[in-house]
Amino acid sequence: MTPLRIKICGVTNVKDARACAELGADMIGFNFYPQSPRYIEPEIAGQIVERMPRSSGAVGVFVDASADEIRNTAKRAGIESVQLHGDFSPETCRELAREFRVIRAFRTEARFQPEDAGAFPDCDVLLDAHHIELRGGTGVTCDWSAAGATLPFTRFLILSGGLNAQNVAHAIAAVAPHAVDVCSGVESAPGVKDYRTIEKFIAAVRTAEC
């Protein structure tokens, strides 16, 4: 059985990135959405990526950016995986998938249908909670039943939205995702990671796998 992958998003400095990696994170996310409180400049992200262990992959988070903007930012940051939130067509995702690992993000709002993920066979899929203003890092739990129903339509499902050390085991049991993604659930403030909380979160994930 392949171990569940763990992604920690919204990292803003090298100390936190290295701590996340050392504690067991498989993927570390950098937010390139200017309106996010966890926004990071691509050049700063690039400096962090250079100092991260190779065991943890870097993921760039984008919201409604053009393909050219994504390419340019990812190149400046030295990132090979991109997570796309917003109105991205299957054609754009297919184009970007020739150059990057693409994670297509969906929000479990009323209009979302699990089969929507099937239009993106070249992508991994991340499911997050719906928020009227924010894109990710909201602390709001997504619809786990919708997430579970999405599983047959994607090659790799990442569960996000309001996860923390207290509920992640229940989420894993309910959805059976390939990976879990946490942001605000392991922070003391937006963009500031709490290492003890990260340790508890990762321990809860690994216990849930047993």
Side-chain angles (χ1 to χ4, degrees):
M1 181 178 176
T2 304
L4 201 69
R5 307 276 287 175
I6 297 172
K7 177 175 173 284
I8 297 179
C9 206
V11 170
T12 58
N13 60 77
V14 69
K15 182 181 177 184
D16 284 359
R18 292 181 66 87
C20 290
E22 290 166 3
L23 289 169
D26 303 292
M27 296 175 278
I28 293 173
F30 299 94
N31 198 318
F32 298 125
Y33 180 45
Q35 296 181 42
S36 170
R38 302 170 183 85
Y39 172 74
I40 187 169
E41 293 285 348
E43 288 76 15
I44 296 175
Q47 295 169 13
I48 297 172
V49 171
E50 288 179 354
R51 298 175 65 183
M52 279 171 43
R54 292 187 177 274
S55 58
S56 295
V59 179
V61 178
F62 298 87
V63 177
D64 291 327
S66 70
D68 285 341
E69 289 174 315
I70 292 166
R71 287 191 189 94
N72 180 53
T73 299
K75 182 177 180 180
R76 288 157 63 195
I79 282 172
E80 298 179 352
S81 298
V82 296
Q83 179 176 311
L84 310 181
H85 293 251
D87 188 19
F88 287 92
S89 68
E91 292 75 22
T92 298
C93 290
R94 187 180 307 116
E95 175 189 343
L96 289 169
R98 298 190 187 105
E99 305 170 58
F100 307 99
R101 175 189 180 186
V102 177
I103 302 169
R104 177 64 163 89
F106 293 91
R107 296 186 292 178
T108 55
E109 57 188 316
R111 294 177 298 171
F112 173 74
Q113 298 295 321
E115 55 268 28
D116 293 346
F120 298 85
D122 305 292
C123 306
D124 299 340
V125 167
L126 179 143
L127 289 187
D128 200 356
H130 173 66
H131 190 283
I132 194 168
E133 295 176 347
L134 303 177
R135 300 294 186 97
T138 64
V140 179
T141 304
C142 87
D143 184 338
W144 293 348
S145 62
T150 305
L151 198 59
F153 297 98
T154 181
R155 65 186 186 185
F156 191 91
L157 181 68
I158 304 172
L159 181 65
S160 186
L163 296 180
N164 54 50
Q166 288 70 47
N167 68 11
V168 70
H170 297 293
I172 291 168
V175 179
H178 300 98
V180 290
D181 176 55
V182 65
C183 185
S184 61
V186 292
E187 290 182 330
S188 57
V192 181
K193 303 307 179 190
D194 183 293
Y195 304 156
R196 179 60 182 146
T197 306
I198 292 172
E199 197 171 20
K200 290 179 179 178
F201 180 85
I202 292 176
V205 173
R206 297 303 174 217
T207 299
E209 289 182 295
C210 298

